[in-house]
Amino acid sequence: MTFTLTVSDEVRALAPGFTHVAVEAHGLTNGPSTEASAALLDDAARRLAARLEGRAPHEDPHMAAWREVYTAFGSKPSRTRNSAEALAKRALSDAGLPRINVLVDVYNAISVARLIPVGGEDLDLIQGGMRLVRATGDEDFTTVAGGEEVVEHPDAGEVVWCDEAGVTCRRWNWRQGPRTRLTERTASGVFLLESLAPMPVSEVAAAGAELAELLEKFSPGARVTVHPPRSAA
C-alpha cells in the first residue's frame, strides 16, 4: 500500500507559509547510538552555534515564525516549544544533545544543524496514512507518564499529526507518541521536515537531501526516496 500524507485545509489556512519534505526509507538498520552518530550530534551543535552567532534559538526568524503559529492555535510557545527550538536549546546547554539510537541521532542532527523541525515515524507502525489536522479534542494520544501508559486528548483546535489509530504527535511537532517512534527494530521509516516562511523552500529541500545521504551512509543498501517539497500555499 502506498503511504499517504495529507495536510488539511484548516492547517493550510492557519499557516500558508508551511512546507514539508518527506523522506521515505526502507531497508533501514538501526541500533544503539555509536561514536559516528554521536559525532554527528556534536557537529550539529557547532553548526547551530555558527548559525545563531550568539543569538538565542527563539530569535532566529524561522523559530520566531513557529512561535507565531503556535500562538495562533492556542499553545504557549515558551512552554511548548517546537521540536527544533527545544533541541537547539538543549544543544547549547551544558547537558548537550541526547543520544537515543542511530536513526534518531541522524534526524536530530539535521534538525539542530538546520533549525528545522524533523520527526521520524516507523512506517510499519503507522495505521493508514498520516494527516496534519486541527484536533476536535476527542482524538486519543497514547503516551507514557510515571512509567505507565496513559491516553490523553489534544486541545480543540490544536494542530496534530494523526493516523487512523489516533494522534502520533501533539502540538504539531512538540511531543511524539511512543506508539510510532523509531526503535532499534525499525526497518522502514518516514522522516518529516517542516518549515515556515521566511525559510526558503530550497533550504528545507537541501536539508531533506542531506538527511537522505546520512540515512544511506548509516544504513548501506537502504532504499531512500526524497519526496518533493509540498507547500501549503
Side-chain angles (χ1 to χ4, degrees), residues 19-154:
T19 298
H20 66 276
V21 170
V23 180
E24 188 175 348
H26 300 273
L28 293 167
T29 54
N30 199 12
S33 299
T34 64
E35 288 186 8
S37 69
L40 271 183
L41 293 170
D42 290 338
D43 181 62
R46 288 190 289 269
R47 290 170 63 183
L48 171 68
R51 182 188 191 99
L52 290 174
E53 297 180 321
R55 294 173 297 167
H58 70 267
E59 295 176 300
D60 176 86
H62 190 216
M63 295 298 93
W66 276 105
R67 284 193 164 216
E68 289 179 8
V69 167
Y70 268 52
T71 299
F73 67 77
S75 289
K76 293 183 178 180
S78 59
R79 188 164 61 188
T80 55
R81 295 179 176 88
N82 76 79
S83 63
E85 183 184 331
L87 276 175
K89 185 176 176 64
R90 185 158 180 180
L92 297 173
S93 73
D94 292 338
L97 288 166
R99 275 61 169 157
I100 308 297
N101 58 54
V102 169
L103 290 178
V104 176
D105 290 353
V106 166
Y107 81 70
N108 278 348
I110 294 297
S111 178
V112 168
R114 300 269 189 170
L115 264 186
I116 296 173
V118 183
E121 305 281 357
D122 189 319
L123 275 175
D124 293 327
L125 301 177
I126 294 290
Q127 298 187 32
M130 291 184 63
R131 295 172 291 119
L132 186 65
V133 302
R134 299 197 70 173
T136 63
D138 297 325
E139 299 88 348
D140 288 343
F141 177 71
T142 303
T143 187
V144 175
E148 299 291 331
E149 188 174 281
V150 297
V151 176
E152 300 176 350
H153 303 284

